[in-house]
Structure formats: C-alpha cells, structure tokens
Amino acid sequence: MRLLLMVAGELINWHFQTQALTKHSQFFDTNYKPFSLYNIPSHSSCSLPLVVFYSFPVFNSSSQISFPLLFSQSSMASIAGSSTFMASLSCHKPNQALTRASNFNAVSLAINGKSFPSLKLHSAPSRLRVSCAAKPETVDKVCSIVRKQLALPEDSAVTGESKFSSLGADSLDTVEIVMGLEEEFGISVEEESAQTIATVQDAADLIEKLIEKK
Amino acid sequence: MLPYVCKLCLNLKIHCIDQRMFCTSSLLSPLQLPSRTETHLWYVLPNEVKSEPLIKKYVDLLSPIEKENVFSMRGDELQKLALLARALVRTTITRYQICSHVSPRSLEFRKNAHGKPEVCWQHSDDWHPPPLHFNLSHTSTLIACGITIDSPIGIDVEEKQRRMKNNILSFARRYFSREEVERLSAISDPEVQRQEVIKLWTLKEAYVKALGTGFSGAPFNTFTIRFGSANPNPDAKDSAVVIVPLENQTNLTTNWQFAQVELAGSHYAAICRENDGISEGAPMKLIVRKTVPLVEEHCVL
C-alpha cells in the first residue's frame, strides 16, 4: 500500500488525470478543459496546468485513510459535487493555494492514526500542486477560535501546522476549542476523533470530514 | 561557602548544603519512597524560578528528545513551563533512595500503549526497580507531580480563577454525565457553580489519567463521579468519592480513591490512585511538598 501511495504522490500525467476525473466527475464535457471545470478565469495568473493528486480507486472510503496535508478523505470518495474540492481548487484565492502548495515538498501520511515517514516529492516548478485538504476559510476559522481560546494576540502566528500543545493548550483548552468548533460548524466530534487532532490542520480536516458526512 | 550559596541559605530549610548543591547529584538527604498507602505530591511554582544558571542546569538534565520538545514550544514562558515539568519529574523521582546509578539525567522514559508516560528502568540482574508510578499536570502557574508505589496514579491541577470561554452549564452538558449536570445546575451561586465545575473536571481528568487510557478511552460523559454525602460540601476530600460508570461501560474500573487539595492558595488539585485495600474509607494519606528542583523543598499540609 505504501508503494501505491508513493506512486500516487508522483506527478500524474494529463491522460491519467483526465481518465480518472472523467469517471467521477459530473462536470466534464467531451471537450475537457481543466480551466473551465474549475471556473478559472482565463485572465488569471493560474496559467500553469493544474495537477491533482488523485489516489487510485482501490482506496474506498472504508479504508479510513486520511492525508492531513494534501488529501482529504471526502475529496477522495467523491470529487464530483464536493464543494470542498471545488472551492479549494478555484482560483478565487489563487495566491493562497499557490503558497500552501509550494511549501509542501514532503508529505506525511497518517493511516489509521499511525504516521508514516515523510515522502519526498520531486519538486517540479512547471506544475502547480494544489492541496485537497480543508478549505483555507475553514483553517482560518479554526485559527481564530484557537486564538480566542488561548488568548493569543492577533498577530501571533497560528497556521495549519501549529500544534495545539506547542501553543500552550492544556486539556481544558482543547475540549473548549472542540466545543467552539462544534458550535461554529454545527458538527459533533467524538472523543476518539478528538484525540487524533494534533494540529490546526488536523482539526480543519476533521471538521470538513464531519460536515461532509452530515 | 561561596557567596551565592549564602544567599540561598536564607531560603533553604535543609541543613546540609555546600557548593556542590548545583551538581547533578543533590546533597539533599534521600527520601524514603512512599509506602503502599501513601501518595506524594510535589509542586513547583514557575514564577519563583528565575535564576538563569539554575534553568541551564535543568536543561542539562533533559534527554535530547525532551530538549527538542521543550524548544518547540511557542515562546519563552511555554518553554520554561515545559522545561520545569521535565526537571520536576526527573529530580523528584531521583529524590528517593532508589539506587546509586539512578540520577536525574540518567532516567529514561517511555509511553505506554495509550501514550501515558512511565519510567523505563535499567534492569540488571542484581537490582529490581521499585514499582514507582508518577503523573504530571500543570497550568501556566503551577506544575505538579504525583508519586505512588504499586498503584497507577493520575493527577490534575487547575487554576481556581480559571474562566471558561464557553457558558459553564453548556460546557457541563457537553462533557459531564446527566447526574453531574443535575447536581451542578442546582447550585445557585454562579461563582460556586464555576468552582464546582472546575473541581469536577480535575477529578474526572485525574481518574482518566490514572486509568492510563487517555481522554478517548473514557469519555467524560460515560461515568459519574458521585460524592458520598447527599450534599457535596467544599471539603470533598473528607467524603468518599465514587466512580459510577454508566451502563455498558466495561472498561471503567471503580477501585479508585480520590483526594482534592488546594495548592498555593491558587489551584485545585485532584489526585486519583487505586484503593490499596488497607485503608478502606479513610482519606488518602497524602504528603504534599513544595519544591524548587535541585534547590529546596518543604512539606506543606
């Protein structure tokens, strides 16, 4: 499985991508144009081809695989109709997507709670990597809830990678944050899932997964 | 004696001191390990630890991984807390008359299957390590470590003045059992209600930490903590505290005893350890010591 994942992490050529997406997307027409699919205005700066990291169909939704940085389980299970996926690929905030993607040249995969060593992806400047993880808006909301709970100043750096423990959150802070997230997003977080959250990004991904399930 | 040690003399309650105080082997007379029926609680107030050389000594006690963790914390205050927590654990365990080859720096730790830290003793043919259990807890202004022999222990400390960001009863409803919410809702004074919620939180957290399965192994709303008397009074430590698991909870054991104390006038502390079978119904034999690791200690209580 690790080998499969490593291969999936490599750059996928357009042919495979087209095929894979065609199977699962309702939005394709026969003249597939990736830019029109993703509502990218022609004048945008995103003139680079979009590369989607797509996992092989062998991963069904029951395999409980979560990819904290690049994938989210919901986007794997159904790309079509997934507003998460569409929003994260839209060039509404192109710079944000670019910035986030270009920082990732190593992926750490967590499967069933166990982390695997980071995979090094080859950097390919000519292609833009786009993450399928939680929307930036979700991460921002989580950050602001965390800031409020921990009484951190507005300018303190809280990002997706911030670990709750490093920010000084104790157990009471953590459960209050979970409560705040439940109220904000209208979800219910089981204690088992709450235990797996270590970073802001983990929380955002879990939130989106739970929203998807609703 | 050197001048800097003289300055410390005024604060020290220990009579045997000389310049070797700051070396790795402390000259504080070794303590007896707690008996099977005793629980020791040690605490340090980070705000009282200001000496840079002392803080450097603490850094020297840590393992490379611990140092990495400490310095990954965001900001000086959090780093100092993390550092003091590790220093407290290491120095406290080695305060006891364990063995000549055990020093604060040589101690090794590991995590159990659920992530609870425990000592990883160096075994040898002619030495059997003591069945020592410990548990740490801290807030931004106090770090505490509980020690027992032959019994898992869990402790939790919270500031008395801690303000919840959420509404107190919403919080209780979300995390506590129905019986507990009923009891808390019946308290009319909001300040007393807030205090009781915090105290109940520390009790539940101490229990879950003693179990060693983590928060998800024993979600807080799957068991009730009930007080022996019909009206739980503020001196809860004098009334028996029992665990009442809700139906179908087979993983929650109930053979535990609790103690609640106030530390430094500013914190609620809850301690949970197994019932030793000897002191049935009697309050936990708890010895509390305030300490500055490597420097001083004195008994409180």
Side-chain angles (χ1 to χ4, degrees):
Chain A
M1 193 181 268
R2 276 169 82 169
L3 201 55
L4 282 176
L5 290 169
M6 287 179 72
V7 174
E10 296 295 334
L11 296 173
I12 302 169
N13 59 41
W14 281 110
H15 176 69
F16 173 80
Q17 181 190 7
T18 310
Q19 277 205 332
L21 288 173
T22 313
K23 266 188 212 166
H24 297 272
S25 169
Q26 309 159 340
F27 299 105
F28 274 90
D29 53 17
T30 47
N31 300 322
Y32 162 60
K33 283 183 191 157
F35 295 98
S36 63
L37 168 67
Y38 300 122
N39 284 331
I40 297 164
S42 54
H43 64 267
S44 85
S45 58
C46 296
S47 55
L48 304 169
L50 294 174
V51 175
V52 174
F53 283 108
Y54 186 70
S55 64
F56 288 84
V58 297
F59 296 139
N60 54 31
S61 55
S62 66
S63 60
Q64 292 293 308
I65 294 177
S66 71
F67 297 78
L69 289 185
L70 284 193
F71 299 85
S72 76
Q73 191 170 337
S74 57
S75 69
M76 271 167 47
S78 66
I79 293 184
S82 162
S83 57
T84 309
F85 183 76
M86 296 293 277
S88 67
L89 285 185
S90 79
C91 267
H92 203 54
K93 292 186 182 180
N95 294 326
Q96 207 153 351
L98 271 170
T99 318
R100 284 182 70 211
S102 61
N103 283 339
F104 299 145
N105 55 16
V107 180
S108 81
L109 302 172
I111 296 184
N112 284 342
K114 301 192 185 100
S115 319
F116 288 77
S118 295
L119 306 179
K120 290 274 185 287
L121 301 173
H122 301 298
S123 62
S126 61
R127 302 215 195 200
L128 171 64
R129 289 161 198 210
V130 180
S131 74
C132 301
K135 287 186 277 198
E137 296 94 69
T138 310
V139 176
D140 286 342
K141 272 192 200 165
V142 175
C143 285
S144 79
I145 289 174
V146 169
R147 263 203 198 93
K148 207 173 74 164
Q149 176 64 37
L150 302 180
L152 300 173
E154 269 310 310
D155 55 350
S156 68
V158 182
T159 65
E161 283 110 44
S162 305
K163 285 171 72 171
F164 287 112
S165 54
S166 304
L167 295 172
D170 65 12
S171 57
L172 206 41
D173 288 317
T174 307
V175 296
E176 285 214 85
I177 288 171
V178 167
M179 238 184 111
L181 297 176
E182 287 179 331
E183 279 172 17
E184 172 74 25
F185 294 97
I187 49 176
S188 170
V189 180
E190 295 297 309
E191 264 75 328
E192 290 80 7
S193 336
Q195 188 127 327
T196 64
I197 297 177
T199 64
V200 170
Q201 187 69 46
D202 293 342
D205 294 339
L206 177 64
I207 289 164
E208 302 234 331
K209 193 169 87 169
L210 291 170
I211 292 178
E212 195 73 24
K213 273 193 191 154
K214 269 185 14 170
Chain B
M1 285 199 193
L2 297 176
Y4 67 87
V5 176
C6 283
K7 246 192 287 184
L8 286 174
C9 275
L10 300 170
N11 297 326
L12 288 176
K13 307 277 195 302
I14 295 109
H15 59 273
C16 179
I17 42 166
D18 69 27
Q19 61 170 325
R20 287 189 285 156
M21 181 62 69
F22 281 119
C23 288
T24 50
S25 61
S26 172
L27 277 194
L28 304 172
S29 49
L31 274 184
Q32 289 288 337
L33 283 165
S35 69
R36 282 192 67 246
T37 55
E38 268 177 2
T39 308
H40 289 185
L41 185 67
W42 299 73
Y43 72 91
V44 58
L45 299 176
N47 295 335
E48 292 183 355
V49 179
K50 293 194 192 91
S51 150
E52 281 299 327
L54 187 56
I55 290 177
K56 282 203 178 61
K57 295 286 169 196
Y58 294 155
V59 175
D60 280 339
L61 298 177
L62 267 45
S63 71
I65 297 181
E66 284 173 341
K67 280 188 206 157
E68 213 180 282
N69 283 338
V70 163
F71 295 120
S72 75
M73 301 296 279
R74 189 77 68 82
D76 290 337
E77 286 304 312
L78 290 178
Q79 287 185 7
K80 185 174 162 191
L81 273 179
L83 173 65
L84 279 177
R86 297 318 305 164
L88 180 66
V89 167
R90 285 178 172 270
T91 54
T92 301
I93 292 176
T94 44
R95 274 294 285 115
Y96 298 101
Q97 231 165 10
I98 296 178
C99 187
S100 56
H101 67 249
V102 172
S103 73
R105 199 181 293 157
S106 73
L107 275 179
E108 285 177 5
F109 296 92
R110 62 163 176 243
K111 296 200 172 164
N112 77 357
H114 301 282
K116 183 178 180 185
E118 51 189 35
V119 184
C120 182
W121 297 103
Q122 318 276 338
H123 285 274
S124 63
D125 287 333
D126 54 352
W127 181 67
H128 299 286
L132 186 149
H133 297 253
F134 73 91
N135 196 237
L136 259 185
S137 176
H138 67 81
T139 65
S140 55
T141 47
L142 186 143
I143 305 169
C145 179
I147 306 269
T148 49
I149 286 292
D150 240 353
S151 156
I153 177 175
I155 71 170
D156 190 46
V157 294
E158 283 301 341
E159 286 172 359
K160 281 164 72 171
Q161 293 306 316
R162 185 176 184 132
R163 299 286 146 189
M164 312 286 281
K165 296 293 189 296
N166 294 286
N167 170 269
I168 265 283
L169 280 180
S170 311
F171 177 85
R173 266 182 236 113
R174 169 65 181 82
Y175 286 110
F176 294 159
S177 72
R178 204 157 30 105
E179 185 183 321
E180 289 163 341
V181 173
E182 276 169 22
R183 177 176 75 81
L184 292 167
S185 308
I187 301 174
S188 48
D189 183 339
E191 182 56 20
V192 174
Q193 195 180 61
R194 188 193 60 81
Q195 289 171 1
E196 288 302 311
V197 166
I198 306 261
K199 280 156 71 173
L200 184 57
W201 175 268
T202 59
L203 280 170
K204 299 196 110 166
E205 182 81 359
Y207 171 61
V208 163
K209 289 174 81 174
L211 279 179
T213 56
F215 190 64
S216 67
F220 279 17
N221 55 11
T222 60
F223 63 95
T224 290
I225 291 200
R226 201 181 282 164
F227 297 90
S229 53
N231 297 316
N233 50 32
D235 311 321
K237 65 179 172 188
D238 291 323
S239 54
V241 177
V242 293
I243 299 281
V244 182
L246 297 186
E247 295 152 18
N248 306 324
Q249 299 294 331
T250 49
N251 57 331
L252 298 177
T253 48
T254 58
N255 187 32
W256 300 91
Q257 59 175 228
F258 290 84
Q260 284 182 291
V261 287
E262 283 191 18
L263 295 178
S266 59
H267 283 74
Y268 295 127
I271 303 104
C272 174
R273 57 159 292 155
E274 264 175 1
N275 253 327
D276 47 52
I278 303 171
S279 46
E280 283 297 336
M284 190 189 292
K285 248 195 268 181
L286 183 65
I287 299 176
V288 183
R289 288 186 181 87
K290 178 170 179 248
T291 177
V292 176
L294 293 180
V295 175
E296 66 168 8
E297 69 194 37
H298 58 269
C299 262
V300 173
L301 258 201

